């Protein structure tokens, strides 16, 4: 009875074979948008850093902010910002009104989506609440096609 030789596996193991497929390929960063407080330290992993507040944050120098852009037009209007005033009970209505304001900024939103397709985009905000702030709404709008 002849024994058949086992054919060697094409890859070392299912978990680590991707690097064996050839030269490293660039992974698309579609929708790679994160949010971060402007008061947090800048990081090289932030990619394109854009402040999305209408007012300059207190206590932050331009050097410390390390901004690539200040997108005032994508911030909530002054009237909406004052209406909300970070009152948690009005969060859902604020988010609805802000999304309505953003519809008028379609070209700016599209440019930011295109940038996010090429590199990480970090939206910076000054609000204290990390869950209920306009940057959360903006990030979600940008992630939708």
């Amino acid at each position: 009875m002849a024994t058949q030789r086992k054919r060697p596996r094409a890859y070392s193991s299912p978990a680590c074979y991707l690097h064996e497929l050839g030269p490293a390929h660039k992974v698309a960063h579609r929708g790679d948008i994160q949010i971060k407080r402007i008061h947090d330290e800048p990081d090289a992993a932030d990619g394109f850093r854009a402040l999305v507040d209408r007012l300059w944050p207190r206590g932050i120098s331009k050097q410390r902010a390390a901004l690539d852009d200040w997108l005032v037009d994508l911030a909530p209007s002054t009237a909406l910002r004052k209406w909300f005033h970070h009152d948690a009970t009005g969060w859902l209505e604020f988010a609805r009104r802000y999304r309505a304001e953003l519809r008028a900024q379609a070209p700016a939103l599209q440019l930011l989506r295109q940038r996010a397709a090429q590199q990480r985009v970090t939206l910076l905000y000054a609000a204290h609440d990390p869950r209920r702030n306009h940057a959360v709404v903006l990030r979600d709008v940008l992630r939708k096609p």
Side-chain angles (χ1 to χ4, degrees):
M1 183 190 272
T3 58
Q4 288 186 350
R5 249 176 137 186
K6 281 190 174 183
R7 228 168 101 186
R9 291 179 99 181
Y11 305 109
S12 59
S13 73
C16 62
Y17 68 86
L18 287 176
H19 71 280
E20 297 173 1
L21 290 176
H25 59 284
K26 187 173 182 179
V27 176
H29 295 284
R30 177 142 172 75
D32 193 6
I33 301 168
Q34 67 178 3
I35 60 172
K36 186 175 181 179
R37 283 196 77 221
I38 187 94
H39 296 88
D40 296 339
E41 288 298 316
D43 189 337
D46 290 344
F48 182 81
R49 292 172 50 89
L51 177 63
V52 291
D53 279 346
R54 198 160 291 275
L55 303 173
W56 188 263
R58 290 184 195 165
I60 300 292
S61 68
K62 289 186 179 184
Q63 183 178 6
R64 180 172 174 217
L67 293 182
D68 293 304
D69 206 349
W70 183 8
L71 305 174
V72 175
D73 293 337
L74 293 181
S77 66
T78 301
L80 182 57
R81 180 179 51 82
K82 288 181 177 181
W83 173 85
F84 178 51
H85 198 62
H86 302 288
D87 178 10
T89 60
W91 168 246
L92 293 177
E93 181 62 17
F94 167 80
R96 186 190 68 74
R97 291 181 186 189
Y98 181 41
R99 282 192 298 273
E101 286 185 357
L102 287 172
R103 285 188 204 108
Q105 299 298 329
L109 293 172
Q110 189 56 33
L111 285 173
L112 210 46
R113 282 186 189 105
Q114 289 171 353
R115 181 173 294 280
Q118 298 173 5
Q119 73 181 111
R120 171 172 282 158
V121 170
T122 300
L123 304 174
L124 302 165
Y125 65 95
H128 292 286
D129 189 340
R131 295 178 321 181
R132 291 186 196 101
N133 66 72
H134 67 284
V136 171
V137 177
L138 178 56
R139 179 195 60 201
D140 293 346
V141 166
L142 287 167
R143 286 181 173 171
K144 290 183 180 176

